[in-house]
Amino acid sequence: MDQDKASPLGTAAAWIVAFLMFFPILWMTVTAFKTETQAIAIPPIVFFRPGMESFAHATAQAGYMLFAENSIIVSFASTLLALLIAFPAAYAMAFQPGKHTQNLLVWMLSTKMLPPVGVLVPIYLICRDLGLLDTRTALIVIDMLMNLPIVVWMLYSFFRDIPRDILEAARMDGVGPRKQMIYLLLPLASPGIVSAALLAIILAWNEAFWSINLTAAHAGTLATFIARYSAPEGLFWAKLSAASVLAVAPILVFGSFAQRRLVRGLTVGAVK
Amino acid sequence: MAYAMKGAETAGRAMAQDGLARGRRRSSWLLLSPAVGMLALWAFVPLAMTLYYSFQRYNLLYPERRGFVGLLNYQLMVTDPSFWTAIVNTLLLVLGVLATTLVLGTVFALLLNQNFRGRGVARLMVIAPFFVLPPVAALIWKNLLFDPLNGLIGWLCTLMGLQPVAWFTVHPMLSLVIIVAWEWTPFATLILLTALQSLDSEQLEAARMDGAKPMSRIIYIVLPHLARPMAITVMMESIFLLSIFAEILTTTAGGPGDATTTLTYLIYIRALLDFDVGGGSAAGVLAIILANIVAFFLMRAVARNIEE
């Protein structure tokens, strides 16, 4: 339906909308390059000599580096674990479907529907009793479980696009499931695997509920850092903005790569 | 001839498959069991515990006064006015954000579906807020934009001769709806845009040939096509919006008073600030039931699509 060129009016409207939606992020980025005085100046300062002081101050904050490291470790480790567990499951469902495969998939997806707050109390108590409060292990396991259904679903839907004959031929030649997965599926489905991984990393990185409630000074992620930063130092806008830019930038980059395939994962296939 | 060969091939394959079937079924379960087992633990154990605690008198501050109290926690909950306030607040937040994101998402998707230079960049700019860490999103709005003294919106108000507003004191719920809608409009836009791209262009072309104006093409062809994706958007968003937490914590902390205390935030206060395990669990059970009502319809839609 987009064969013919848009009217100038339509184009202008699209750009205005794009600018307005992006503006808060842009303004945060601009503020990050200001000094504290410039950041709160009224009327707002648009032209100024950008400086990196706020970034230096923000990253020198007690614990910032640890929180950034936690974010990276938790999101990558949980994603890797989810992929390792989801890969064989998706393989079995896509290439050896049984009578109950569909139901199993729907059930897996339905576990996503459980509101985290409904199980806040037991999870908190389990972590407390196991000595897992404020540990990266707890967050890695929880993020992995939260993302597992989506990763299984995405891998399954990408595996289904692979011609079955290829795997069938390999099976006829006596290639076992493990070798099929490693030598055939891994390279064939790599774009799908990458987008599943990107989505899982994004979701784990931006996960705030569990990290705020289960972690503090040791295993806190950037979400925790920013949420806590807000309380006593909310008025240091330049520093807060700098810390925020650093926390958001990597995910914006990942997101821009994955955006076309995100719909498939996020709507678990309900929209095609 | 070719058909016959194909038939023979399929038959041979079917026989081979039959022989392999049993072994494969076993290997299937082996491959599936880690994922299924973990999800089963994750889905059932905490749920059962929440249910169990909800019938207990159990406060972490007085662990010795623990015991079965039947439905007392539920009774206390429904007779507590702050619980009903939280329900109303949850509905206001969810419905307010849903309405905003659906309307804006539809308009944005239609605009971005046009053919213009730099469309990819514009689309990315619209979608970007979805990738922003929730506490960051909340703080950008709270400080840089909404702050009555140094914020951009306050300054714009004074430019136009209006009195700057202390947003979070005067319109706490509205402010929250604006922030969350900013985060979730990209989601609606992305889904509706995807749906628009699968719209049959011939149908639109035919309508145009017949002299249908752009507006009536949108109303009679495009919007009906979007009805299902819109329903999916509503259901997906409701599941996530019921759990909005970080945005409230970093802006209003549920206040002023309990003006922005939603069900999720109330459970957080009960469980982790008041240490009331029983009360928090009873409210948790209710949150699960609420989410399940939505999830039921959503999963029906999903299941139908998977089977197709």
Side-chain angles (χ1 to χ4, degrees):
Chain A
M1 81 174 268
D2 42 30
Q3 305 312 327
D4 35 28
K5 274 250 175 280
S7 66
L9 199 70
T11 311
W15 280 110
I16 291 171
V17 157
F19 177 75
L20 285 178
M21 284 298 280
F22 193 68
F23 182 77
I25 299 175
L26 179 70
W27 193 240
M28 167 185 78
T29 315
V30 170
T31 307
F33 289 96
K34 291 179 175 175
T35 63
E36 292 299 345
T37 341
Q38 288 169 335
I40 56 168
I42 286 291
I45 299 174
V46 180
F47 300 104
F48 60 97
R49 262 192 54 193
M52 299 295 285
E53 299 89 4
S54 305
F55 287 97
H57 284 299
T59 48
Q61 284 271 316
Y64 177 87
M65 283 304 174
L66 177 66
F67 284 72
E69 186 189 309
N70 288 339
S71 266
I72 295 170
I73 292 180
V74 167
S75 51
F76 278 80
S78 63
T79 301
L80 193 67
L81 266 179
L83 281 174
L84 283 177
I85 297 169
F87 197 85
Y91 166 87
M93 291 203 266
F95 300 110
Q96 312 175 349
K99 246 181 288 172
H100 302 294
T101 300
Q102 307 291 358
N103 293 335
L104 194 62
L105 193 58
V106 172
W107 169 76
M108 281 186 168
L109 291 173
S110 74
T111 63
K112 270 302 286 174
M113 309 294 151
L114 187 71
V117 76
V119 293
L120 172 62
V121 172
I123 296 292
Y124 182 86
L125 292 178
I126 291 173
C127 286
R128 188 197 61 175
D129 295 344
L130 296 177
L132 287 174
L133 281 181
D134 202 11
T135 61
R136 291 195 284 238
T137 313
L139 275 192
I140 290 172
V141 171
I142 288 175
D143 283 355
M144 183 272 283
L145 289 167
M146 301 262 296
N147 288 335
L148 191 56
I150 292 191
V151 175
V152 170
W153 157 255
M154 277 187 89
L155 291 182
Y156 168 82
S157 81
F158 285 110
F159 288 175
R160 289 275 301 250
D161 293 345
I162 294 173
R164 295 181 64 150
D165 289 349
I166 298 179
L167 288 165
E168 202 66 40
R171 185 152 46 210
M172 291 300 184
D173 291 342
V175 181
R178 185 187 309 207
K179 283 196 168 154
Q180 283 176 36
M181 280 190 260
I182 295 173
Y183 295 113
L184 284 172
L185 219 45
L186 208 53
L188 283 173
S190 54
I193 297 169
V194 169
S195 36
L198 278 178
L199 182 59
I201 290 172
I202 292 171
L203 292 175
W205 185 280
N206 283 351
E207 199 289 309
F209 182 78
W210 292 113
S211 62
I212 288 174
N213 283 318
L214 295 181
T215 66
H218 296 295
T221 60
L222 286 171
T224 325
F225 179 79
I226 305 277
R228 280 173 210 281
Y229 201 111
S230 68
E233 312 193 51
L235 276 176
F236 291 108
W237 290 5
K239 263 177 255 160
L240 181 58
S241 299
S244 303
V245 167
L246 292 176
V248 167
I251 292 312
L252 276 179
V253 174
F254 284 175
S256 63
F257 283 123
Q259 57 155 330
R260 302 312 301 276
R261 290 212 169 94
L262 284 181
V263 176
R264 198 179 324 198
L266 284 173
T267 62
V268 293
V271 173
K272 283 179 182 163
Chain B
M1 179 68 184
Y3 278 112
M5 293 242 318
K6 201 149 195 183
E9 209 178 288
T10 328
R13 198 174 286 170
M15 262 154 69
Q17 267 174 355
D18 219 37
L20 281 168
R22 197 170 312 164
R24 251 202 260 164
R25 213 169 299 143
R26 199 181 311 135
S27 88
S28 271
W29 272 110
L30 218 63
L31 295 166
L32 280 167
S33 52
V36 174
M38 284 187 181
L39 279 177
L41 280 179
W42 171 243
F44 295 123
V45 173
L47 197 65
M49 286 173 76
T50 302
L51 208 57
Y52 169 74
Y53 287 135
S54 74
F55 298 116
Q56 295 264 316
R57 180 209 314 271
Y58 186 16
N59 189 308
L60 293 179
L61 294 177
Y62 319 101
E64 70 284 353
R65 279 200 249 149
R66 195 177 159 179
F68 180 78
V69 289
L71 292 171
L72 184 65
N73 286 322
Y74 292 94
Q75 199 189 332
L76 289 175
M77 183 174 73
V78 294
T79 51
D80 180 357
S82 68
F83 167 75
W84 293 106
T85 315
I87 294 284
V88 172
N89 286 339
T90 309
L91 289 177
L92 282 177
L93 179 65
V94 172
L95 295 179
V97 173
L98 277 180
T100 319
T101 55
L102 263 195
V103 172
L104 293 183
T106 310
V107 175
F108 291 4
L110 286 170
L111 287 174
L112 290 173
N113 197 37
Q114 304 174 104
N115 183 17
F116 60 94
R117 260 163 79 97
R119 179 164 70 157
V121 178
R123 177 163 50 207
L124 201 56
M125 284 167 79
V126 171
I127 289 165
F130 187 67
F131 301 120
V132 174
L133 207 58
V136 169
L139 289 175
I140 296 177
W141 284 89
K142 182 191 180 185
N143 295 329
L144 302 178
L145 301 175
F146 276 157
D147 189 90
L149 290 178
N150 307 97
L152 218 52
I153 292 177
W155 174 70
L156 284 177
C157 283
T158 35
L159 273 193
M160 294 188 289
L162 299 167
Q163 197 67 30
V165 180
W167 282 83
F168 288 103
T169 332
V170 186
H171 309 296
M173 187 49 89
L174 177 66
S175 314
L176 205 57
V177 168
I178 292 176
I179 297 174
V180 179
W182 179 69
E183 291 177 282
W184 284 92
T185 299
F187 180 77
T189 308
L190 199 58
I191 290 183
L192 297 176
L193 190 57
T194 309
L196 275 182
Q197 279 158 359
S198 71
L199 182 59
D200 183 10
S201 57
E202 279 173 26
Q203 206 183 352
L204 278 176
E205 201 53 43
R208 192 182 19 216
M209 293 298 198
D210 291 344
K213 296 240 159 44
M215 210 52 209
S216 49
R217 279 191 308 223
I218 288 178
I219 292 172
Y220 294 109
I221 300 177
V222 178
L223 288 186
H225 177 77
L226 289 185
R228 218 172 96 79
M230 277 180 181
I232 302 285
T233 312
V234 166
M235 293 185 278
M236 301 282 312
E237 274 191 33
S238 334
I239 300 273
F240 287 106
L241 295 178
L242 281 174
S243 305
I244 289 291
F245 172 75
E247 291 84 342
I248 303 176
L249 180 75
T250 43
T251 56
T252 62
D258 52 10
T260 51
T261 300
T262 60
L263 187 55
T264 297
Y265 205 77
L266 184 75
I267 297 173
Y268 160 75
I269 295 175
R270 285 285 150 80
L272 294 195
L273 302 184
D274 300 343
F275 302 106
D276 178 4
V277 169
S281 297
V285 169
L286 205 100
I288 293 169
I289 292 173
L290 263 180
N292 266 311
I293 297 172
V294 181
F296 173 75
F297 292 103
L298 179 58
M299 291 323 292
R300 266 213 329 208
V302 171
R304 202 179 313 141
N305 250 359
I306 290 178
E307 272 147 29
E308 266 167 21

